[in-house]
Amino acid sequence: IRDWGTNFLMGLTQLPQGCVHSGFHMAITSLWKELKVVLLQFWRESPRGRIYVTGHSQGAALAIMATLLLLQEDWHPSPIYL
């Protein structure tokens, strides 16, 4: 039910890369700090490890936005498939 609430926040949020669904933006920003800590810990422990950012439906939207946030912070995950 919480996901449907996110879907109904239908406004747009302006980002440097363009406009995004406000509900999806709110969802990714609400978990980004915690996710970033986990990613940094993984990279420190496994510097050659790979992280796959993927999802379906709302998860796909959040995966794309997470990838944009990684790029904004100059992390450059490689390769990137969208």
Side-chain angles (χ1 to χ4, degrees):
I1 293 177
R2 197 168 11 144
D3 287 346
W4 282 102
T6 300
N7 291 341
F8 286 120
L9 292 172
M10 291 188 252
L12 295 175
T13 299
Q14 181 68 46
L15 299 177
Q17 299 86 354
C19 292
V20 297
H21 184 282
S22 294
F24 295 161
H25 183 260
M26 184 178 71
I28 194 68
T29 56
S30 71
L31 61 87
W32 184 246
K33 285 183 184 180
E34 290 179 53
L35 181 58
K36 192 165 67 168
V37 168
V38 171
L39 292 173
L40 280 171
Q41 181 179 352
F42 174 79
W43 276 321
R44 285 186 189 122
E45 294 172 5
S46 307
R48 294 180 185 225
R50 291 184 178 200
I51 295 176
Y52 295 89
V53 184
T54 185
H56 171 73
S57 191
Q58 179 179 348
L62 297 179
I64 291 168
M65 293 177 69
T67 302
L68 290 174
L69 287 170
L70 289 171
L71 292 171
Q72 271 185 329
E73 297 195 18
D74 210 26
W75 287 10
H76 301 287
S78 179
I80 298 173
Y81 301 104
L82 296 177

